Every structure is written in structure tokens, then in C-alpha cells.
Amino acid sequence: MSSTPATPTVGRPRDAALDANVLRAAMELLGEGGIAAVTMDAVAQRAGAGKASLYRRWKSKDELLADALTLHSPIDVEVDTGTLRGDLVKLYEHYYGIGNHVMQAAMQEMLGNVRQHLAWTEKVAPERLTARRAKVRALFERAVARGEIAPPADIDLLLDLVPAMVLYRYNTRNQKVSRASIARFVDAAVLPLAGLAAREARP
Amino acid sequence: MSSTPATPTVGRPRDAALDANVLRAAMELLGEGGIAAVTMDAVAQRAGAGKASLYRRWKSKDELLADALTLHSPIDVEVDTGTLRGDLVKLYEHYYGIGNHVMQAAMQEMLGNVRQHLAWTEKVAPERLTARRAKVRALFERAVARGEIAPPADIDLLLDLVPAMVLYRYNTRNQKVSRASIARFVDAAVLPLAGLAAREARP
Amino acid sequence: MSSTPATPTVGRPRDAALDANVLRAAMELLGEGGIAAVTMDAVAQRAGAGKASLYRRWKSKDELLADALTLHSPIDVEVDTGTLRGDLVKLYEHYYGIGNHVMQAAMQEMLGNVRQHLAWTEKVAPERLTARRAKVRALFERAVARGEIAPPADIDLLLDLVPAMVLYRYNTRNQKVSRASIARFVDAAVLPLAGLAAREARP
Amino acid sequence: MSSTPATPTVGRPRDAALDANVLRAAMELLGEGGIAAVTMDAVAQRAGAGKASLYRRWKSKDELLADALTLHSPIDVEVDTGTLRGDLVKLYEHYYGIGNHVMQAAMQEMLGNVRQHLAWTEKVAPERLTARRAKVRALFERAVARGEIAPPADIDLLLDLVPAMVLYRYNTRNQKVSRASIARFVDAAVLPLAGLAAREARP
DNA sequence: GTTTAAGCGAGACGGTACGTCCTGTCTTTAG
DNA sequence: CTAAAGACAGGACGTACCGTCTCGCTTAAAC
């Protein structure tokens, strides 16, 4: 995930704070003005950086945006609510930045525009989404282990259902992701397909 | 959906053939060289039109592309295979242009890039996708009528499942839509959620 | 000079008033907004005409402007003040529309931009300026006849001196033509070169 | 005259060679294909520059052309032939690029079209032509100093006579400037008005 | 009176130049 | 060697203008 290659020992060292500054600036612009507002000049200016510093760290705008998205959608979160449903909802809420409005808008906008940033599909998604998928997969395995569900027939599909619906509803009906929409996708699609009636307790 | 505003009775009327020419040119370029090949100059040249004629009809490149997509994703198709599964697979194949390679590539590219063409989300999707959804919904109602399934609990979600998965797999894993992937999404997600085991005959 | 070709006997006859309307509109726009304001669409609109009617009469914008200039700079004027100086000043004042402010501004702007309207140089100037030059030449010949001056050595050059200075001062110093500037060019250049001291009575 | 505004000390400095490249390209195109061939894209391409670099230096095409003309009409030339006639002819030949065919054509085309480039009249002419006029004026003063002529009565007019005739003959009769035409204007107009018979030795 | 041919206003058409903006690279001074 | 600043080539976008064309309508001569 890191953008910084082998650091040489001579010369001025790179400003570590700059990376975060730039990515934050990019996410802000994304959240404020949509994808159209995210130009490299604008990002550099807001970050108080030069464009060369951006391109020294990222090969292209695509990769910068990919990293920005990645940075602000951490995967290292531990959820253990005791039920598959609780775990799934909590993890997805975390992934979509529910509770942080700017980040949520930026995340959604980013996901919706992902195809025009091919680097994302080709490089970041495999790295990042694979890790996320592994996390979700672990939730299912834990549920199997504790006897909550039987091993699902087509788990690969189950792992994509929620993000697919979130993306589709946004791209076609401009529907923003929310705690409620996540819960609904889980209850009405994921759990039934996992052989679990959606009659559990709601938090 | 039409791009032509209130047509005045005076003056030379707009050439209706030109609209189709331009949209066809846009789709060709999209299929041949991806979204990057679709420049207004290229579209105009291939259509044998002037740029002014393009901008007379569409306010921006976005709106032109939105119309191009709409025109080339027909909804008026009758399917009646006798089973819900057969109907769904056949209709989706039609929607995704399965069998016509150029159109299929163009459709997919278009769908993946749709968010950068805000006009699409705001204007075309409501008009076009609503009609498509109505078609799919009718398939479910017919299946209910003939006793194949019980009325689904959350049909709105069922209507979006396949296109959502198609879009998501393309945007995140570069997975192209195909007859097989459609069938899989139908069998592994839609039919089970409709209360139908996916054990029917495969064509 | 006329723009109307052989009139056929059948069909609706051309509206004679339209020619004048168009040329007047062109001169107005020229005087008001300079050469940049004279677009064919603007001329047509102001004249209440269609563009096709303009191009039916004139082959190009150049020729229309040439005719506009010609129409509003009549040559058929009789001057006979008794002296060469008086004749010259009076004739040039007439040519430059001194006394009519709009026309004067338009004339000057037109003359200054004449080269970008090649039709003028190639077609109208020979027709129109030749006639003007003949008029001026006649003034000199009359002065010779009445013994006021001897036959000038290089009359061709004398005939161009005043319009040349008017054009040059406008194009390089934005100096507008006026009664005074004409008199000065006549007194300080033309008359001395014609062998006449500039000591005559001023009107 | 320079196109570069207050140069900041930070950032990459403007490439001084580019200015010259661009102006040379503009003059070449002007000489080769007339004013119609001088498009901003063509100038940029021939100069190996981007359009943005052109517009960074000049606000418009007009101003670029004005500078091009200025650059290629040098004033810093020393003439001293011993006679007023010799000096004048030599200096004007220099100004009009006599001997360099491309430059001569470009100069003439430029001068004839100067009014459509208002920037010229408003900005370059005052700076450039004033310097030129001063040069010519010095020739007259030297002639006075050595007793060749008496102080002319209306020297301002004398200074404009030759360029005025050159421009007028080009704009109205398409007559190109040449060594002979310059000599004729000097002999038949300037020298007589300076009180000098045109009977001197011709080179 | 009907037909016919052309003129007419309106405005769409192909083509082309303009000036703006954005991406990714390069070049300066300063640290 | 990195930093900020900003110039650089290239190319797409959307606007404007020219000269042509196509509508529906009008006008007058020819039949």
C-alpha cells in the first residue's frame, strides 16, 4: 500500500507528513466538489505541496486517489458482536465511514468513479479489496465454527453482495450509503442466502 | 429522453437522422477504444457532423453519452420461456448485449464510467432503468401468477441484484459480463431469495 | 457595383428595399462595435433578413462590406470653389463623410480593415477608387486649365497622398479623420508638391 | 514590449528561447501562407510549443502577432551614406526587410492587416513606430546640421509619408513594397517637401 | 383561378479557429 | 536529494463565426 519506494540515505529526507496532507486534501476535495474538483493542481495547492512532490510519490492521479481511498478506509478493525449479522453490519459501517459525513461522501464518490481510475481496478482493488474480503470471509467462518450457519454454497458471491448493492444504488439512483441501507442488504440478501432467517435481534 | 427541445415551426428542422448517426458513432468509438477514444471531435468527424450540431442537441459530452447508452440499450423485448429462471437470464442477456461484441464492450465500459457522467445518474437512469426494472418486475409477477413462486418479500432488492453484481465485478475485478456470469447470479442469489431452489433444468 | 444579377422574369422579385436595409445595418454595426461586431448573423438579424438573402446578393461578407462602403461613400458630387485647395478639401470631406459621425466612424474602420476583406482590394477598390481618383485628377486638370498650377510631375502620387495619410494615421496612431486633418494634408503636402504655396485664404 | 510580466524568483523561469521560437514560427507562417495560415495551433505546433505556453505569454493572438511584427522589424541600424536621400532609402529598405523575401512578405501582410489586431495600434505601434520615427527624424536633423536642407516646416508629416504610401498602395492596389517604390516616394514626395530637388545621384 | 418559380425569415448544417483547462513532466531556487 | 513554485507539451472541451442548406410561407408572373 505504501507509496514510498526504497528511501536513499543521502539528501533531504522525504517529509512524511506530506503524504497524509496530500491524501487528506484529495479526500476533502472529493467530498466537497465531487470527482470534478479533484485536480492535481488543486490537491497540491490545498496540501501546500508542489505537483512534483505528488508525482514523486504516486505514478498518477489514479494511484493517488486509490491510496487516498485506501488510507481512509482502514481494514484493521476487530469486530465480535457474537452474531454474524452484528459482525457484518458493524464491519461494513466501518468500511463505509458511517458516522463521518465528509469521509462517507468522499468514499461513495470515489467508489462510484472507480472505473475511470483504472489503477484502482488493476492495482489497489486486488490489494485492498482482497484484504477486506478476507476479513468478511473470516466472519462467515467464525459463524460456521460456532454453529450459527452451515458453510455457504457460494461464499464468493456473498462477499460481494453488500458492496455491489451500495455501489449500484449510488450510481443509478444516487442513493447514499447509510447504516439502514447496510442493515437492509444484510438482512434481506446476505443472511437468507447464508441459510439464516433475518429474525435476529436488532441492536 | 429525447434531446430535441420544443420544436419550432419556423426554420430548417433538425435532421433526425443526425441524432442517430452521432449516437451510433459515439457507441462505436466507445466499443473500439474505450472511453478515452470518445472525444467530441472524433464523434463529430465519424458522424460526418459539425461540433456545433452536437452541442445544439446535447449540452455536454456527458449528456450525449447518456443518450447514446440509452438508445443502445433497448427495453422492448418480449421473453416468455415458461420459467422464471429462463425469463431472467434471457432478459438480462438482452440488456447486456450478449452476442454483440462491440455493443457488449461499449455497454460495459459505459456502465463502469457512468458516474463521471453525472447526467446519466440524474437524467437517464431514472427514465431508462425504471423501465427496465418494470420489465423485470413483470417477470416476477408472472411467475407468481402461474404459481412458480410466492410473492417475494423484498422485490426491490431482487430487481437490482444482477445489475449490481455485474457492475461491481467489472469495477473491482475487471470481470466482463457474460452469459455464464448472469446465470450464476440468477441461480445463486436471485432464485434462492425468491424462494426457488436453483435446481431447475439448465438450457 | 450593383449586386443583383440578371433578374429572371418569373418568380417573386427581389425586395429592393432589403439591399439598402442590409447595407445600412452593416454600416451601423461597423460604426457601433468596430469590425468585430459585423458578423453575418448580426447583420441579418438587424436588417430583419435571413442569411440566405444576404448570400443571394453578395458572394461573401467581404463583398457585402465592400458594397456597404461603396454605397455610403458616393462619388457623384460636384465641387467648384474656384481654387484647387478649396476643391480638394471639399471633395475629401465628402468622401470621408465629414459631418456624419456614424458614417465617419464606419468609413474609417472599414478603410483600416480593408485588407482582411480581400474582395475589396481586388474588386471594389479598382472600381470605386479609380472613379474617385479620376474625380480628384479632374480637379488638378481644371486647376492647370485655369493657370493656377503647372502640370504636376508625378500626379499619380499626388492623388494618393491624402487617403494614404488618413489611413496611416488611423492604423498606427488611431487618429480619426477630420476637416482639420484633411486641410493639413492638403496644405502641407499636396499643394506644395503641386507647386503651389499654401498661403491661400482658409475658409 | 516584452511579453513577460513581473518575473517571480520562485518556480521554473520562462524559457526565453521559446518566445523567439514562437514569434519566428508566426512570422514564417505569415510569410508562407498569409494571415489565414497563422492559427494558434499552427504556431504552437511549428514552434514545438503547447498552446498554454502561448497564452501564458500573450493575452490573445493579436498581441502575439503584434510582438512578432515588432521583433522582426529591428530599429537598431546605423545608416550614414552622406546624403539625406541615401540615408532615407537605406533605412526604409531596412525597415521593410527588402532583400529577405519571406520577411518582406510577412511584414507587408502584417502591416496590411494591422487594424484587425487592435493590440497593434494600441500597444506596439506607439512603442515601436515612435522609435522608428525618431530614427528617421535624426536623419533629417543630421541633414540640417550639415547644411543639406533647411529645417522642414512640417516634419511630422514628412516622417509618415513613405510608410503611409507603402501601406496605402498595398491595401488598395495590392502593390508590394520594393526598393524602387521606396526610392520613388522619397524622390517625388519627401525630398521636394524638404526643399531638396530630387536631382541627386542615384546609387 | 391555378400553377409555377423564385424570394423570404428562420435556423440547422459542416467545418474550423479560438481560448481555457487538465495531466504528467521538467526546471528553477532554497534547504 | 527533496521541497515549493510554476513553466512546459499535448490534447480535449465548449463557443463563435462563415458560407451552405432546407424548411414553410409569400409574391407575382405564366398559364
Side-chain angles (χ1 to χ4, degrees), chain D residues 115-126:
Chain D
R115 273 301 295 185
Q116 73 181 296
H117 305 289
L118 296 181
W120 206 89
T121 301
E122 286 160 13
K123 174 188 152 217
V124 179

Side-chain angles (χ1 to χ4, degrees), chain A residues 109 111-116 120-121 125-126 129 133 154 156-157 160-161 163-165 167-174 184-185 188-189 192-193, chain B residues 109 111-116 120-121 125-126 129 133 154 156-157 160-161 163-165 167-174 184-185 188-189 192-193:
Chain A
E109 181 78 12
L111 287 167
N113 283 284
V114 96
R115 269 303 294 182
Q116 71 183 296
W120 206 89
T121 301
L129 291 190
R133 279 169 57 91
D154 194 341
D156 271 342
L157 196 147
D160 290 339
L161 265 183
M165 285 302 297
L167 172 60
Y168 185 75
R169 288 278 169 97
Y170 181 58
N171 273 16
T172 60
R173 299 215 276 284
N174 213 25
R184 186 177 166 210
F185 298 147
L193 288 174
Chain B
E109 180 80 11
L111 287 167
N113 283 284
V114 96
R115 272 302 295 184
Q116 73 182 292
W120 205 89
T121 301
L129 292 190
R133 280 169 56 91
D154 194 342
D156 270 342
L157 195 147
D160 289 340
L161 265 182
M165 287 301 299
L167 174 61
Y168 186 75
R169 289 278 169 98
Y170 182 58
N171 273 16
T172 59
R173 298 215 277 282
N174 212 25
R184 186 177 166 211
F185 299 146
L193 287 172

Side-chain angles (χ1 to χ4, degrees), chain C residues 180-196:
Chain C
S181 67
I182 289 174
R184 186 177 165 210
F185 298 147
V186 168
D187 288 339
V190 181
L191 296 185
L193 287 173
L196 202 61

